[in-house]
Amino acid sequence: MSSSAGAGAAGLGRAGRLPRSARRKQLLAAAQEVFVANGYHAAAMDDIAERAGVSKPVLYQHFPGKLELYLALLDTQAEALSAAVHEALARTEDNQQRIHGVLSAYFEFVDRDDEDGAFRLIFETDLGNEPAVRARVEAVTEKTMKAVADTVAVDTGLDRASAELLATALTGAAQVAARWWLASERPISQADAIRLLEGLLWRGIANFPRQAELPH
């Protein structure tokens, strides 16, 4: 998020009482800025409360500790990525468009101007050795992979292990490539990056004909 967004969050906090859901959303937004900027270990609850424009007791009313706050934020971002992948798969029955949609979901997740750096909480966390964090990262990785595998298995008739292997390759390539693209300061447009990857991946997936097209 931009500094202006942070200032807006702080100003909102000082303006008075908010409904609990709105306050929680505000605190998560402030926490994301601090965690992305500083990493988990260097982030302090004092900094998060100040960024949100609330007192520390208010922050603790919603989250009993820094880890619980981080996990809540991780859950929010993991759900956003998972939902984007599921929506991309459900949007069309054209498999090339599905590949395009899954790639777009990952690229847009790492490149959201309004939530800059959110992907780092999942893919580049400095708290990877914490069991609760590791479990959530593994869960969202598995959830998105299995969503793709479901589609691959139904369309191709491949066994489950084969479908999950292909799905792992697709989602892994999407995630790693999107992060490289952003870290390299967007050397080509997002549309061109997605088009290049789509061409590569579609050439491979297209070798597995849809089940309805297989000879009987």
Side-chain angles (χ1 to χ4, degrees):
M1 282 189 175
S2 67
S3 58
S4 60
L12 186 58
R14 288 191 297 268
R17 295 181 62 85
L18 289 173
R20 185 171 181 83
S21 60
R23 178 69 77 194
R24 179 183 172 87
K25 184 176 180 181
Q26 176 205 10
L27 295 174
L28 287 173
Q32 181 172 298
E33 291 184 23
V34 175
F35 283 132
V36 169
N38 302 329
Y40 176 83
H41 295 292
M45 293 292 271
D46 284 329
D47 296 333
I48 295 168
E50 182 179 355
R51 184 68 61 93
V54 301
S55 66
K56 214 160 118 180
V58 168
L59 179 57
Y60 279 111
Q61 286 174 10
H62 292 263
F63 303 99
K66 186 167 73 166
L67 179 59
E68 289 79 8
L69 176 53
Y70 189 86
L71 293 176
L73 188 54
L74 186 58
D75 286 340
T76 298
Q77 298 306 334
E79 180 57 35
L81 174 59
S82 179
V85 170
H86 278 80
E87 288 169 11
L89 293 169
R91 195 176 299 132
T92 178
E93 293 187 355
D94 182 279
N95 281 339
Q96 186 170 4
Q97 286 303 308
R98 281 172 170 161
I99 290 175
H100 178 88
V102 170
L103 289 169
S104 297
Y106 276 91
F107 270 81
E108 289 167 8
F109 183 72
V110 306
D111 194 34
R112 291 179 299 175
D113 289 337
D114 62 331
E115 295 185 72
D116 185 37
F119 73 97
R120 300 186 192 282
L121 301 170
I122 299 176
F123 300 125
E124 299 175 7
T125 177
D126 61 346
L127 200 59
N129 290 329
E130 165 61 43
V133 172
R134 186 168 62 248
R136 282 165 168 78
V137 171
E138 291 173 354
V140 69
T141 300
E142 184 176 19
K143 188 175 181 181
T144 52
M145 178 276 289
K146 286 190 172 182
V148 175
D150 289 342
T151 301
V152 171
V154 169
D155 274 7
T156 65
L158 289 171
D159 63 87
R160 187 66 193 183
S162 299
E164 289 194 2
L165 180 62
L166 290 176
T168 297
L170 173 57
T171 55
Q175 182 238 119
V176 172
R179 287 168 55 203
W180 175 90
W181 172 81
L182 188 64
S184 300
E185 299 182 349
R186 304 175 180 85
I188 60 177
S189 71
Q190 185 183 122
D192 284 344
I194 292 171
R195 178 180 54 80
L196 285 170
L197 285 169
E198 180 186 339
L200 173 66
L201 294 168
W202 174 242
R203 287 188 185 96
I205 295 294
N207 289 322
F208 298 92
R210 297 180 75 131
Q211 190 164 227
E213 298 169 355
L214 293 173
H216 296 286

